[in-house]
Amino acid sequence: MKHATQPSILKRTLLSTTVAAAIASAGMMGISATVQAEETFKVGLVTFLSGGASGPFGVPAAQAAETVIKAINAGELPPPYDTPGINGLQLESVVVDEAGGPTQQVEEYRNLVERQNVNAVIGYISSGDCLAVGPVAEELRTFTIAFDCGTPRMFEELDNPTYFFRTGLDAVADNVGAARYLQDIHPDVTRVAGIQQNYAWGQDSWLDFTLSMEQLMPDAEMVNNQTPQLFSGSYGSEISALQTRRPEIVHSSMWGGDMESFVSQANSRGLLGQATAILTTGESGLHRFEGQAPNGTILGGRGPFGAFMPENALSEWFNEAYEAEHGTKPSYPTSKMAQAILALKFAADNSGADGIPTSEQLASTLKGAEFESVSGTVRMALAGGHQAMQDMLYGEYHYTPGEGAELRNVRSYRGECVSAPDGQNAQEWIEAGFPGAQCD
C-alpha cells in the first residue's frame, strides 16, 4: 500500500491567516504564530497528527481546517458564509494531536480550555476519545463539536447535553445503510463475515449491521467476525480465519491505516477475490488504494462527504480550494472537518452576541438548527438537537490505470431511512423492523 509522505507537524500549533504564506512554505501547520488582531475567536482543533490514523484521516482533516479557516478569515467562502471571520472576529486555532488515547485526550482538552483559553473545541476521530471528552465538555461548559467519531453510545451515555454536539452521523446510519445497499445490490447473498476493530466503534458497528441484516436479509448467515486490536496493522490470522468460512461479503468498519492495511493484505492473500468487501469508511481510501482494492469493492463515506458530496456552491469551492492547496481531492474526513467549522461559523454569526459568543449562545443557536454545508443541508435533528441527520450513501470502487478511481452504482438513503427517530434506542428500533423509517 502506498502512502503519501506526511509532513512534520508540531504537537500544538497556532494557526492564522496572517501567516498563511509561511504555513504554505512550511508544507503544513508545523510552526507557531500569533494572530495579529486585538480580539480573536480561539478554537481548539483535535485530530490525529501521528500514528496510523494520521495519513488517511488526521492530517487531511487538519489540512481542511487550514483551508477553511483561511477562507473564513478572508471572507472568501460562498454564501451564506461570505462575511469575514466568525461574528466579525478572526478565527485562530490551536491544533492538538489526538494520539495517546482517551486519558491523554481528557488532559489535552482541559489544557485547551483552562490554559490555552479556547472559546470552543472541534475534534475527535476516535470514538473512545469522544466518549471520554464529552462529559468533560459538559463539566467545563465549553462549546464542543465532534466532527467525525461515530459511536452511537455518545449521546446514550451523555445524558441531556448542553455543550457537546456532533455534526456528522453515527454508526447506526452507516450500518443500516450498508445492509440496505446489500439488499439492493446483492440480494442473493447467503454468507456474510466481518472484521472490526475491538473497541466501542467496531463492536457497535457489527451489532447494528447484523441486526439490520436480520431484518432486511434474514436468509443471509453471519458466518464469522474477527476483532483485531485497534492499530494492530497485521491481519494474517484474521484473514485466514475469514477465508475458511467462505463468505461472499466481508463487512468492515475499520478505518484509517487499519482499513487500508487490511484491504492490501486481504487482496494479496486472495480473500477479496473470494468475497466482496463492504467498507463503511472506505471512501477515505478512494484515491489512496491506487488499484490495490478490487473493482466492485463497496465503499461508504459516513454520509454525503468526500466523493459523495452533492454539487453545490460550497462543495465546488471546497473541492477546488482543497485540491489546489494540498494536491489531492478531498476525502470524507476533510469534508467532515469543513462541516464542523461551518457549523461553528453558523452558530457564531447567528448568536446575536456582541463580540465573542459565549458557549451558551453558541449551543442554543446550533441546537436543532439547519445550516448549509459542503454536504448540503445539515439538520441537527437527533439527540435533542445535538446530533446531525443526513443521507447515507454507498457506491462501488472502480479504478482505471492512468485515469484513477471513481465511484459507480451509488445509492443514497434518506436520513429518516437509516437513523432511529429522536429519542428511540437504535438497536430496539432496528429489531422492531425500523418503525417509522421513511425510505421512499
Side-chain angles (χ1 to χ4, degrees), residues 68-83:
V68 176
I69 290 174
K70 182 169 61 176
I72 284 175
N73 285 341
E76 294 176 347
L77 286 177
Y81 304 108
D82 50 338
T83 56

Side-chain angles (χ1 to χ4, degrees), residues 118-165:
V118 299
N119 304 110
V121 177
I122 293 173
Y124 307 106
I125 292 169
S126 167
S127 289
D129 294 339
C130 273
L131 290 171
V133 166
V136 185
E138 295 296 313
E139 174 196 339
L140 300 182
R141 300 181 179 183
T142 302
F143 181 73
T144 301
I145 296 175
F147 85 96
D148 184 59
C149 66
T151 175
R153 299 183 196 179
M154 192 166 77
F155 289 115
E156 293 173 0
E157 298 181 7
L158 193 61
D159 185 40
N160 194 27
T162 298
Y163 303 97
F164 201 74
F165 292 81

